[in-house]
Amino acid sequence: MIIFNGHSDILTDINLRRLNGEREVFRKYHHENFLKSNVKSVIWVIWVDPEHLQNPKDRTSQIINSMKEEFDEAADIINVVKRYEDFKKGFEEDKINILIGMEGLTSIEDNVNLIETYYNDIGLRHASLTWNKRNMLASGVGDDTNGVTSLGIKAIEKIEELGILLDVSHLNEKSFWDIVSIASGPIIASHSNARYFANVKRNLNDEQLLAIAKSGGLVGVNSVSVFVNDDRNKQKIDDLIDQIDYIKRLIGIEHIGFGFDFCDFLPPSYVGEPDPITNSITVEGLSSEADINNLINRMRERGYREEEIELIAYKNYDNLLEKVLK
């Protein structure tokens, strides 16, 4: 079973470790986990952590430099995807396909042309307008009032013109619905769940889920415990599958992917304290890429057919990116 993970913060780990003098971070700490569950494609996002939001451009440049150095060192195991055809190249060379994304475009400030610069210079192929905070383009879940700005409209137009995957995870509802009305192509929520089970702002209500499906996009289910269920006793793999079941019934299996959001490798100041029992912020039995087979096997036990699992695990993202990437 091939796995596509639509959201990973590994670039943050790479940057932090490289700043401390380490090298070949992906090879040392993550590659084996990918191999254990056959994760062949993933979106790695450039994310400006809260500690550096005052200087987002500098932090973004720092992460990009670390990324480029890491890619040079890992050229034998990593394939950076810029066109849809590049996925085939990665498979043929038995490498991990990396799609470069930005979890928030705060670093561009008021210069929308920087999106195209990132597209050409680093291969940016995925973007969300903002993270949890408000910026010059849109507002995240930390702001209940504002939506997409006039500059944000131009950013959306540029994103779609270039063939960059447009992500709405982390947006507040006003910005979400603004994007629905502005965007002409598919949108994704790369790492969000249904509010039906976990009533948190980062999740999506039924109307939002339906809007994403109508756009031709998909929802990447998130394994972080608090996004899976409000009940701490219902934050296990079965409860994540309940999320998949619910979204499947509502919008169809062709609009579901994986967006695991594994981040136990990040400091608690970034992601919060882990559960004292599981020592993880994600559901029990699913703390890294190495554990994805636990989910796949349990999906089989619960009656998912192989072709259904393949759609969620890889094919839905593959079909979408064939349409979006230029």
Side-chain angles (χ1 to χ4, degrees):
M1 184 68 64
I2 298 171
I3 304 296
F4 190 115
N5 181 11
H7 182 79
S8 173
D9 288 297
I10 281 177
L11 282 177
T12 301
D13 190 44
I14 286 171
N15 185 54
L16 292 174
R17 290 183 184 276
R18 293 190 74 91
L19 291 175
N20 286 327
E22 294 194 56
R23 296 294 181 266
E24 299 201 66
V25 176
F26 177 67
R27 194 188 307 272
K28 289 179 183 177
Y29 298 102
H30 301 285
H31 188 223
E32 185 177 345
N33 289 341
F34 276 58
L35 297 180
K36 285 179 179 178
S37 291
N38 204 30
V39 180
K40 299 297 292 184
S41 300
V42 60
I43 297 175
W44 279 4
V45 295
I46 296 166
W47 170 63
V48 178
D49 55 276
E51 297 174 8
H52 294 86
L53 284 175
Q54 298 303 314
N55 297 291
K57 189 175 291 186
D58 291 345
R59 186 63 162 182
T60 297
S61 296
Q62 187 183 70
I63 296 170
I64 288 172
N65 289 337
S66 292
M67 178 183 74
K68 288 180 176 179
E69 292 172 356
E70 187 79 14
F71 284 171
D72 286 343
E73 294 171 357
D76 60 316
I77 55 175
I78 280 178
N79 176 55
V80 178
V81 172
K82 297 181 180 179
R83 301 175 304 146
Y84 176 75
E85 293 75 17
D86 293 338
F87 283 108
K88 182 180 179 181
K89 176 176 180 287
F91 285 128
E92 290 175 345
E93 297 178 357
D94 198 24
K95 296 179 181 180
I96 309 296
N97 290 313
I98 306 295
L99 205 74
I100 298 170
M102 281 193 167
E103 189 173 18
L105 289 171
T106 302
S107 64
I108 74 168
E109 297 175 338
D110 62 351
N111 186 2
V112 171
N113 291 328
L114 272 180
I115 298 173
E116 189 162 4
T117 300
Y118 287 141
Y119 179 91
N120 291 322
D121 290 356
I122 66 169
L124 183 71
R125 296 298 184 271
H126 157 280
S128 58
L129 296 186
T130 188
W131 183 60
N132 286 341
K133 308 294 184 181
R134 182 185 181 190
N135 65 12
M136 299 181 75
L137 307 177
S139 290
V141 294
D143 172 18
D144 292 329
T145 306
N146 299 283
V148 173
T149 66
S150 58
L151 195 66
I153 294 173
K154 294 179 181 178
I156 293 168
E157 292 170 348
K158 178 61 68 174
I159 285 168
E160 293 198 311
E161 172 194 327
L162 293 170
I164 294 173
L165 196 56
L166 179 58
D167 193 348
V168 298
S169 282
H170 286 281
L171 293 181
N172 69 1
E173 285 198 46
K174 179 70 167 63
S175 294
F176 175 94
W177 289 113
D178 285 347
I179 284 183
V180 169
S181 67
I182 297 163
S184 60
I187 58 175
I188 68 166
S190 64
H191 55 304
S192 297
N193 294 332
R195 284 192 195 173
Y196 180 83
F197 293 105
N199 188 22
V200 294
K201 291 180 179 180
R202 275 278 289 103
N203 282 345
L204 304 164
N205 61 40
D206 288 1
E207 290 74 20
Q208 290 175 298
L209 292 167
L210 288 164
I212 290 171
K214 186 177 180 180
S215 79
L218 59 77
V219 177
V221 291
N222 189 324
S223 65
V224 173
S225 298
V226 295
F227 301 149
V228 172
N229 201 293
D230 290 327
D231 186 344
R232 291 194 63 179
N233 295 314
K234 294 183 178 180
Q235 296 177 347
K236 298 179 173 62
I237 284 178
D238 268 318
D239 303 297
L240 181 60
I241 298 174
D242 286 345
Q243 282 276 358
I244 296 172
D245 287 347
Y246 182 85
I247 299 170
K248 173 189 171 185
R249 288 194 300 269
L250 184 68
I251 65 174
I253 198 167
E254 67 274 17
H255 298 293
I256 307 173
F258 289 145
F260 291 110
D261 205 6
F262 298 128
C263 45
D264 284 351
F265 46 80
L266 296 180
S269 61
Y270 285 19
V271 298
E273 294 292 336
D275 184 281
I277 297 175
T278 64
N279 196 35
S280 176
I281 71 162
T282 51
V283 295
E284 185 177 342
L286 192 60
S287 61
S288 77
E289 285 82 4
D291 300 326
I292 294 173
N293 281 333
N294 294 338
L295 170 63
I296 300 299
N297 291 334
R298 185 59 183 146
M299 289 175 70
R300 292 185 178 116
E301 292 169 358
R302 287 188 43 169
Y304 277 80
R305 302 188 307 274
E306 287 301 300
E307 56 266 31
E308 291 181 309
I309 298 173
E310 286 177 354
L311 284 171
I312 297 171
Y314 191 86
K315 286 188 177 179
N316 286 339
Y317 252 118
D318 183 65
N319 292 335
L320 177 61
L321 288 166
E322 186 176 14
K323 298 172 185 174
V324 173
L325 295 182
K326 296 181 178 179

